[in-house]
Amino acid sequence: MASSLTTFTDEARIALDTLSGHAAGLFSPSLRLGVTGLSRAGKTVFISALVHNLIHGGRLPLFEAQKSGRIARAFLEEQPDDAVPRFQYEDHVAALVNDRVWPDSTRAISELRLTIEYESASGWNRLFSAGKLSVDIVDYPGEWLLDLPLLGKSFTDFSREAVELAALPVRSDLSQAWRELASAVDPDADADEMTARRLAESFAAYLKACKLDERALSTLPPGRFLMPGDLEGSPALTFAPLMTLSQGRARSGSLQAMLERRYEAYKTHVVKPFFREHIARLDRQIVLIDAMQALNAGPGAMADLERAVTEILSCFRPGRGNFLTDFFSRRIDRILVAATKADHLHHESHDRLQAIVRRLTDRAVARANFGGAAVDVVAMAAVRSTREGTVKQGRETLPVIIGTPLKGEKINGETFDGKTETAIFPGDLPEKVDAVFDVSGSAPDNAEPAIRFVRFRPPKLERTAEGVTLSLPHIRLDRALQFLIGDHLA
């Protein structure tokens, strides 16, 4: 898929950029780490926790360079890309540590440079290596990444696939208003701005409804319809797929011709620069997913999440280059798919969550014809907001998680005030992985959700006897770090 996203001119630009980057890297080695995920998967929290733990010497027993004491220090430096907004690490950490609120989610692309000074474990490497690595962390919305497959699709393809998705049982009621409006439109009628606007607004409303917790759907392109940024109201976002299309080429001046032209403009001026300037420059990638929200929403949401992960993986440039090709083309040689919010489950269910994500990822890799890179999965919590315990219920002892639910969260008819700590039995994930992907409809409509899911406030951090605040607690953040950058610190 990725090879079809660029032209020869694009590839020439990418090669020049890569060559200049490697020239600078001869004196200052760097690694570009992409962080993406769909809404509320925890991208901002992940980056903040990663940087906080490295800067403050957090507890990272599976991160070998830290465990062995070879990291001298980690610190923030000025980022290399002046045209990209800086990831506001300080503001996000203040929200987590001081206010105990979750920081605002990713709305656009941002970047942060974290530099690590270390001692190599190899005497040979110590002789020739500077013992310094700059990790350029690039944060971007997963919804934008899901736009990249559009580069290989015509307006006809886009319309046909959108109509097929909208008719699925898990979407049909949400898309009804748009489908009725689109069905009444004559694609060969004269172009009309208000008709285009009504179609675009109705289609965007349908996509936003799909994104709500009750459905937790993931495959929702075009991504800027959900996160328009400074494009809101522009012609580039005033288009929508059509239910019916004209036979052959659209008549000049028709509604279909106008919508098709705007769709192509969206690809040319929005999607393609995003790929060329950001995705094609990455070395490593982590994809964060909120699998538990999809699990609670049912098999339809899980199937849609698998579709989204397949689309995402198809957009990367996987593989391992050689000494010569690496000077002109970057390849992503490691991708980690991480199921977040593992702290909302007792540790007894973590292996099951990881098995579900492994199944989802393996199928996505196969469907995307994806190869040439190491792909791994992990169940993690970048910031652990709960601790574990047990409660007695009659003769039974139940494993529970203990934390402070966010104000307004509800479970079993109880509404929480955001101040009171409580113990919750989250339930168990299914033992059989296939059950969560079964869309045959065998489960009753009133079936209990897989887990009892409430959102918790960030934890109150512990302090040492000297009054020093400890680093943010986590679950398997160290394992993620070891997979993503550990080999560069060997």
Side-chain angles (χ1 to χ4, degrees):
M1 172 73 75
S3 61
S4 67
L5 301 183
T6 55
T7 63
F8 178 80
T9 302
D10 295 328
E11 290 297 333
R13 291 179 181 177
I14 291 170
L16 286 173
D17 175 79
T18 304
L19 185 61
S20 62
H22 279 300
L26 292 175
F27 303 98
S28 180
S30 65
L31 176 76
R32 290 184 70 85
L33 170 64
V35 180
T36 195
L38 302 174
S39 289
R40 290 174 292 189
K43 298 179 291 296
T44 302
V45 173
F46 172 81
I47 296 171
S48 300
L50 180 155
V51 175
H52 192 264
N53 272 278
L54 286 176
I55 289 178
H56 294 277
R59 292 163 285 190
L60 303 168
L62 296 182
F63 185 40
E64 197 279 329
Q66 179 87 328
K67 177 186 176 181
S68 60
R70 293 190 293 104
I71 293 182
R73 65 169 181 147
F75 55 96
L76 295 177
E77 284 193 290
E78 183 180 351
Q79 68 191 56
D81 301 308
D82 293 333
V84 179
R86 183 180 184 272
F87 180 86
Q88 297 301 327
Y89 164 75
E90 295 82 3
D91 294 343
H92 298 321
V93 166
L96 285 166
V97 175
N98 300 332
D99 303 328
R100 292 184 63 201
V101 299
W102 300 109
D104 293 336
S105 59
T106 299
R107 305 295 298 178
I109 195 164
S110 62
E111 185 180 7
L112 191 70
R113 168 165 281 197
L114 174 71
T115 296
I116 302 171
E117 292 181 350
Y118 68 100
E119 181 182 46
S120 175
S122 162
W124 182 262
N125 286 344
R126 285 198 296 271
L127 184 63
F128 292 98
S129 170
K132 182 177 177 180
L133 176 69
S134 293
V135 181
D136 294 323
I137 304 170
V138 183
D139 174 33
Y140 60 95
E143 286 80 2
W144 292 11
L145 192 64
L146 285 172
D147 279 349
L148 294 183
L150 298 180
L151 293 176
K153 298 174 183 177
S154 66
F155 181 72
T156 299
D157 297 332
F158 166 62
S159 294
R160 184 183 65 252
E161 292 183 10
V163 170
E164 290 173 355
L165 281 176
L168 293 175
V170 73
R171 295 172 178 247
S172 59
D173 58 328
L174 302 180
S175 66
Q176 183 176 353
W178 167 70
R179 287 187 291 128
E180 289 177 353
L181 179 63
S183 296
V185 167
D186 178 5
D188 201 44
D190 290 343
D192 178 71
E193 188 64 42
M194 293 310 296
T195 300
R197 179 178 170 183
R198 285 193 296 270
L199 284 169
E201 290 176 348
S202 181
F203 189 69
Y206 145 62
L207 295 180
K208 291 173 183 176
C210 289
K211 187 179 171 184
L212 297 177
D213 290 349
E214 292 76 14
R215 299 297 170 91
L217 299 177
S218 305
T219 310
L220 304 171
R224 300 307 201 285
F225 277 40
L226 298 172
M227 296 181 176
D230 57 3
L231 292 175
E232 189 165 9
S234 69
L237 291 190
T238 312
F239 69 91
L242 289 173
M243 293 286 291
T244 57
L245 298 168
S246 301
Q247 295 296 323
R249 187 172 182 177
R251 176 180 66 84
S252 177
S254 67
L255 177 66
Q256 179 176 329
M258 180 176 74
L259 297 180
E260 187 169 347
R261 185 180 67 252
R262 291 180 176 182
Y263 169 76
E264 293 298 332
Y266 180 77
K267 290 161 54 178
T268 300
H269 300 296
V270 179
V271 183
K272 185 173 286 189
F274 170 65
F275 176 80
R276 186 181 63 238
E277 296 168 12
H278 302 294
I279 304 304
R281 299 174 61 200
L282 297 176
D283 300 304
R284 299 281 165 90
Q285 177 69 53
I286 180 169
V287 179
L288 304 171
I289 60 174
D290 186 355
M292 290 194 294
Q293 192 67 58
L295 282 166
N296 264 6
M302 287 299 297
D304 198 72
L305 178 59
E306 182 180 335
R307 186 183 299 111
V309 173
T310 302
E311 294 274 281
I312 286 173
L313 292 182
S314 71
C315 298
F316 294 133
R317 294 186 158 198
R320 298 178 183 274
N322 55 49
F323 179 78
L324 180 61
T325 60
D326 281 348
F327 271 96
F328 300 97
S329 177
R330 289 181 185 265
R331 295 282 170 177
I332 297 177
D333 60 357
R334 292 194 182 189
I335 297 177
L336 183 64
V337 180
T340 58
K341 305 177 184 176
D343 56 332
H344 289 51
L345 291 170
H346 195 272
H347 76 270
E348 294 176 355
S349 283
H350 287 184
D351 286 346
R352 295 182 184 181
L353 176 61
Q354 190 159 299
I356 290 169
V357 178
R358 170 72 67 183
R359 159 69 181 275
L360 182 152
T361 302
D362 287 347
R363 286 171 37 146
V365 166
R367 292 182 181 184
N369 294 320
F370 183 85
V375 181
D376 202 0
V377 303
V378 65
M380 64 172 290
V383 172
R384 182 172 189 164
S385 58
T386 66
R387 63 185 191 278
E388 295 185 351
T390 57
V391 297
K392 285 214 174 268
Q393 191 174 69
R395 296 183 178 180
E396 191 176 8
T397 300
L398 297 177
V400 297
I401 54 175
I402 304 167
T404 305
L406 293 174
K407 184 177 181 179
E409 288 290 297
K410 297 179 181 179
I411 190 170
N412 296 331
E414 181 180 0
T415 302
F416 297 101
D417 60 8
K419 301 177 182 177
T420 306
E421 191 173 73
T422 189
I424 294 174
F425 173 59
D428 298 315
L429 292 179
E431 289 186 33
K432 296 183 178 179
V433 174
D434 290 345
V436 304
F437 294 95
D438 182 10
V439 293
S440 63
S442 56
D445 292 338
N446 60 351
E448 285 291 318
I451 54 174
R452 294 169 180 84
F453 181 84
V454 297
R455 296 180 177 87
F456 294 90
R457 291 185 64 186
K460 187 174 183 179
L461 294 192
E462 302 172 10
R463 294 179 181 272
T464 66
E466 295 77 21
V468 178
T469 301
L470 298 179
S471 57
L472 290 161
H474 62 86
I475 297 176
R476 301 187 188 90
L477 176 64
D478 48 349
R479 178 178 159 184
L481 276 168
Q482 180 61 28
F483 178 79
L484 292 168
I485 67 173
D487 59 318
H488 280 262
L489 303 174

